[in-house]
Amino acid sequence: MFKKLGIFFGALLLGTSVVANEVTVYSHRHYDADKKLFDEFTRETGITVNVIKAKSDELIKRLELEGENTNADVLVTVDAGRLYRAKSKDLLQVVESKTLEERIPAHLRDPDKKWFGLTVRARVIVYSKDRVKPPQLSTYADLANPQWKGKILIRKSTNIYNQSLLASVIAHNGEEKAIAWAEGVKKNMARKPKGNDRGQVLAVAAGEGDLAIVNTYYLGIMQNAPEGSKEWKEQREAFSKVSVFFPDQKGNGTHINVSGAGVTKHAPNKANAIKLIEFLSSKKAQEVYAKENFEFPVLSGVELSTLLKSWGDFKRDDLSLNKLGELNSEASKVFDIVGWDN
Ligand code: FE
């Protein structure tokens, strides 16, 4: 009898310990820094991190299809617009964590506690050092000014970073002004929108245009493109020909966005999932994001990389990032109205 009970409890313990010792992450991020952080988390806690990487919308689709049967505990993705999308589809659950609330400023996390920003990126103006002088630059609004005709490089309207930037314009100025702005920027484009953020910087360096709209960490990635990687020489050379300008310093501040995480609604390992997100918001982890991936920390008092330090402090737009999600479809509509991609 006792022997049987012993086996029963043994199996139970074994069962729980197996379940308790892992966490599965669906991630849109594909950086070495993330792998390093997951390994460090495992070393500290003994919890194995299983990572499944794919594009955000694929991960969201997969979570929808898997429903209660999912193995995913944490969804990691870039852009508050996408985190909001996962939340709207009821794929995330409420997380009560004093640690996360203390470390992450309120506008960088979901007011309903379903997602948390972990790194900050600014969407800035990158300009040709040869052809543009910083005093000529000022605001996002100024990008619609005819003085920039044929000079601006920016990617397509399907890109969520652009949708979020336009959502912030709508949030601050209303839809009518946002339409006028998007129309103005479209008229000033050096070419039809194409390529990724790095592609816009390469095009500025090649003289196709003078200004590009780019997320800050791509500059760090280009400056440090590993020898032998794709177009590494071109990337490093392009980096040396451009500089960064933070718009709207006298107004709302530069548009920022986050990469962040949430616990999935049906997470089999909820406690481990929260532990992992808390770890990623710790000083140690935030320093890795800042130094190795050139992202701004959400936690204050964290040492930045040399490049980020060289840009100096800047005023950030403190719009609640939830707004970017709420206004996402309106932003897409405005892009369609002005025929952004045509
Ligand atoms: Fe990116």
Side-chain angles (χ1 to χ4, degrees), residues 78-89:
V78 296
D79 201 288
R82 286 215 183 89
L83 291 162
Y84 180 91
R85 199 173 290 169
K87 175 193 160 187
S88 316
K89 289 177 183 277

Side-chain angles (χ1 to χ4, degrees), residues 88-106:
S88 316
K89 289 177 183 277
D90 198 21
L91 299 171
L92 303 175
Q93 62 171 295
V94 171
V95 168
E96 296 292 350
S97 164
K98 282 261 170 303
T99 305
L100 292 175
E101 282 170 32
E102 274 166 27
R103 289 177 181 167
I104 306 169

Side-chain angles (χ1 to χ4, degrees), residues 31 121 161 215 217-218:
Y31 308 114
R121 45 277 298 285
Y161 304 146
N215 280 358
Y217 53 92
Y218 287 114

Side-chain angles (χ1 to χ4, degrees), residues 204-249:
V204 169
E208 274 193 70
D210 291 351
L211 308 179
I213 309 304
V214 181
N215 280 358
T216 36
Y217 53 92
Y218 287 114
L219 277 307
I221 292 172
M222 293 181 84
Q223 180 194 30
N224 297 281
E227 245 179 84
S229 65
K230 195 176 164 239
E231 297 183 317
W232 69 279
K233 281 185 189 159
E234 291 85 343
Q235 291 198 46
R236 288 193 191 182
E237 199 187 310
F239 172 84
S240 70
K241 291 183 173 172
V242 300
S243 214
V244 166
F245 183 83
F246 291 87
D248 287 71
Q249 290 304 287

Side-chain angles (χ1 to χ4, degrees), residues 106-108 164-165 167-172 252 254-256 316-324 327:
H107 67 286
L108 303 181
S164 286
L165 173 61
S168 79
V169 175
I170 297 171
H172 288 307
N252 294 318
T254 299
H255 168 69
I256 58 159
R316 305 170 181 195
D317 187 353
D318 62 1
L319 179 74
S320 170
L321 295 190
N322 212 42
K323 273 267 167 237
L324 306 181
L327 293 168

Side-chain angles (χ1 to χ4, degrees), residues 4-201:
K4 268 189 184 165
L5 259 180
I7 291 168
F8 173 74
F9 283 117
L12 198 70
L13 275 172
L14 199 67
T16 27
S17 74
V18 168
V19 170
N21 267 332
E22 65 177 1
V23 63
T24 298
V25 180
Y26 278 10
S27 178
H28 175 57
R29 289 170 55 101
H30 43 263
Y31 308 114
D32 294 343
D34 290 47
K35 182 169 185 331
K36 187 174 169 175
L37 287 171
F38 293 150
D39 290 347
E40 178 59 28
F41 177 73
T42 303
R43 253 195 308 277
E44 279 186 20
T45 61
I47 299 166
T48 306
V49 183
N50 312 310
V51 185
I52 290 167
K53 290 187 223 168
K55 289 189 172 157
S56 290
D57 289 332
E58 286 166 24
L59 295 173
I60 287 174
K61 188 95 246 159
R62 187 163 166 180
L63 281 174
E64 276 183 288
L65 289 171
E66 290 171 343
E68 289 178 23
N69 301 317
T70 193
N71 288 323
D73 299 298
V74 178
L75 175 69
V76 172
T77 178
V78 296
D79 201 288
R82 286 215 183 89
L83 291 162
Y84 180 91
R85 199 173 290 169
K87 175 193 160 187
S88 316
K89 289 177 183 277
D90 198 21
L91 299 171
L92 303 175
Q93 62 171 295
V94 171
V95 168
E96 296 292 350
S97 164
K98 282 261 170 303
T99 305
L100 292 175
E101 282 170 32
E102 274 166 27
R103 289 177 181 167
I104 306 169
H107 67 286
L108 303 181
R109 51 183 159 83
D110 177 34
D112 299 325
K113 306 179 182 188
K114 291 193 174 179
W115 58 260
F116 299 86
L118 292 170
T119 65
V120 171
R121 45 277 298 285
R123 198 146 180 79
V124 294
I125 299 173
V126 166
Y127 62 92
S128 157
K129 284 199 273 197
D130 291 341
R131 300 184 297 278
V132 178
K133 295 285 160 264
Q136 294 175 268
L137 300 168
S138 56
T139 59
Y140 294 106
D142 177 62
L143 297 173
N145 187 320
Q147 83 166 106
W148 299 113
K149 196 165 174 55
K151 307 285 190 208
I152 297 177
L153 291 146
I154 184 164
R155 62 202 286 186
K156 283 188 172 176
S157 67
T158 44
N159 170 244
I160 193 132
Y161 304 146
N162 280 348
Q163 292 168 2
S164 286
L165 173 61
L166 183 55
S168 79
V169 175
I170 297 171
H172 288 307
N173 307 321
E175 187 177 298
E176 220 170 286
K177 282 192 176 158
I179 292 172
W181 178 75
E183 248 165 8
V185 174
K186 181 180 162 39
K187 279 186 193 154
N188 289 341
M189 285 182 192
R191 63 178 186 192
K192 267 192 195 181
K194 66 168 181 177
N196 56 21
D197 276 21
R198 272 177 275 188
Q200 314 309 315
V201 181

